[in-house]
Amino acid sequence: MTVTEPTTVPDTVTALDAARADLRARLLRDGVLVDIGSPGLYGRTGVFERVYGAVDAAAVRSQADLDAEVLRFPPVEPLAAFERTDYIASFPDLAAAVSGFAGDNRDHRALLAARERGERWESFLEPADLMLTPAVCHPLYGLLSGDLPVGGRTFDVLGDSFRREPSLDPMRLQAFHMHEFVHVGTAASARAHRDGRIASIRDTLESFGLEIDVVPANDPFFGRVGQVLARSQVEQSLKYEFVTPVYGPDHPATAIGSANLHEDHFGSAFAIRSADGEVAHSACVAFGLERVTIALFAAHGTDPDRWPAGVRAALAL
Ligand code: AMP
Ligand code: ZN
């Protein structure tokens, strides 16, 4: 019988946790982020915003040749649209809903009495038919039902994303932003968009002085069925991630961007047809803006004025 020493895994986990705690402490101590009392939620200071703005502007410059149509959405989406994305089937643990008070005076008195007793009062709120948007391209597809023009359409979508994954890893936030470049068209044009953007995104992130790998990846599908979905996503090369070793070469690298092929998932859910009469296919590439920003602070320090000249030039800082 072989006895396996149970040392390596726990040690690695502990070292990674320590590295995460270190980075978090440094960002808070040096006044980059502000702790607002809940894991994965932070206030952001001037120095954070300066770098974040520069990252976003550079991301936009890198995709300017797409001449994408600009669209912005609120951080919440109607339940009916959320429903059609099937997100709740795949990621129930990450989803979050908005609720509101819809009661009368009696209900209000009961809420206040519970609050007075120091009890939780959220159970007095009711579902408001609104979900927090988990992926910023989701609200787009509902606008495209019907026929697309020849060549499809390409969009620039920046927005809030909420995922219920509280963590003390400063790279894993609950509320963050993605800048996405989304194409909806034929199977061929969607794939060409996804594949064609990888080089410019990689070059852009590398110009920031970050070490980048592009690797096949899967989304964190929930449960046992989810494991099958995740495996098939990798086997079919539907998702690539731009990863960087924020916590050094001994720990897994973190995704700061992604390039995704949805095939006809959204086309069929939202009844979108490409000009050739087929169900539309879609693809999106995403810059995770906070993750790129924090990866920069981790790689170059918390004072951007002391970053290498080439990095500052690439960011126009
Ligand atoms: P995804 O749709 O999961 O590929 O997410 C797109 C990008 O958003 C990822 O590559 C990350 O850069 C960023 N992202 C995803 N989840 C988080 C999170 N919990 N905190 C911060 N950024 C995230
Ligand atoms: Zn997307």
Side-chain angles (χ1 to χ4, degrees):
M1 198 177 85
T2 326
V3 179
T4 318
E5 291 292 332
T7 47
T8 2
V9 172
D11 271 353
T12 313
V13 169
T14 308
L16 179 54
D17 286 345
R20 289 168 169 161
D22 256 17
L23 177 60
R24 184 172 188 275
R26 182 148 46 105
L27 294 168
L28 295 173
R29 187 191 59 227
D30 293 355
V32 176
L33 294 177
V34 180
D35 188 356
I36 61 167
S38 181
L41 292 181
Y42 299 93
R44 307 136 67 108
T45 65
V47 69
F48 183 95
E49 285 300 297
R50 182 178 160 214
V51 174
Y52 176 91
V55 164
D56 188 47
V60 170
R61 280 196 300 279
S62 76
Q63 304 304 309
D65 58 304
L66 284 173
D67 201 19
E69 302 174 50
V70 173
L71 269 178
R72 300 290 179 261
F73 298 104
V76 295
E77 58 179 313
L79 179 64
F82 181 87
E83 183 57 29
R84 292 172 83 177
T85 64
D86 257 354
Y87 193 86
I88 201 67
S90 296
F91 312 102
D93 51 332
L94 300 180
V98 175
S99 49
F101 180 74
D104 56 16
N105 283 318
R106 233 179 87 201
D107 300 320
H108 187 214
R109 278 197 301 276
L111 183 159
L112 291 179
R115 182 164 171 259
E116 196 61 32
R117 291 192 297 271
E119 294 169 11
R120 302 282 294 255
W121 46 264
E122 303 97 298
S123 58
F124 290 90
L125 307 183
E126 287 168 26
D129 290 351
L130 295 173
M131 299 297 292
L132 301 188
T133 306
V136 306
C137 65
H138 282 183
L140 173 65
Y141 305 107
L143 306 179
L144 301 178
S145 302
D147 295 319
L148 292 168
V150 174
R153 289 174 74 180
T154 302
F155 296 91
D156 159 330
V157 191
L158 160 65
D160 290 82
S161 174
F162 185 92
R163 294 182 186 172
R164 180 86 186 121
E165 45 183 354
S167 167
L168 290 175
D169 178 359
M171 292 294 276
R172 186 167 300 282
L173 307 177
Q174 294 198 72
F176 54 98
H177 297 80
M178 292 177 202
H179 206 142
E180 288 203 18
F181 297 87
V182 190
H183 177 82
V184 190
T186 61
S189 70
R191 184 173 285 277
H193 174 77
R194 198 279 304 264
D195 293 346
R197 294 288 115 193
I198 289 177
S200 61
I201 296 174
R202 179 181 196 141
D203 288 352
T204 304
L205 297 172
E206 285 179 343
S207 76
F208 300 166
L210 299 175
E211 194 186 308
I212 299 294
D213 241 342
V214 182
V215 297
N218 60 268
D219 289 309
F221 293 100
F222 184 78
R224 207 169 313 146
V225 175
Q227 289 177 8
V228 180
L229 293 173
R231 210 170 311 127
S232 119
Q233 193 181 23
V234 172
E235 276 162 16
Q236 296 180 67
S237 303
L238 296 180
K239 185 179 189 79
Y240 288 97
E241 284 181 333
F242 302 86
V243 301
T244 192
V246 184
Y247 298 115
D250 299 336
H251 298 299
T254 309
I256 57 174
S258 68
N260 309 282
L261 200 52
H262 316 128
E263 300 188 297
D264 63 357
H265 178 72
F266 295 116
S268 75
F270 290 93
I272 313 169
R273 273 180 312 276
S274 55
D276 59 9
E278 302 286 330
V279 177
H281 282 228
S282 58
C284 69
V285 293
F287 289 86
L289 296 178
E290 283 83 358
R291 281 199 180 169
V292 178
T293 303
I294 294 171
L296 281 165
F297 285 116
H300 305 308
T302 52
D303 180 359
D305 290 331
R306 297 171 62 179
W307 290 0
V311 173
R312 280 187 286 130
L315 286 159
L317 263 179

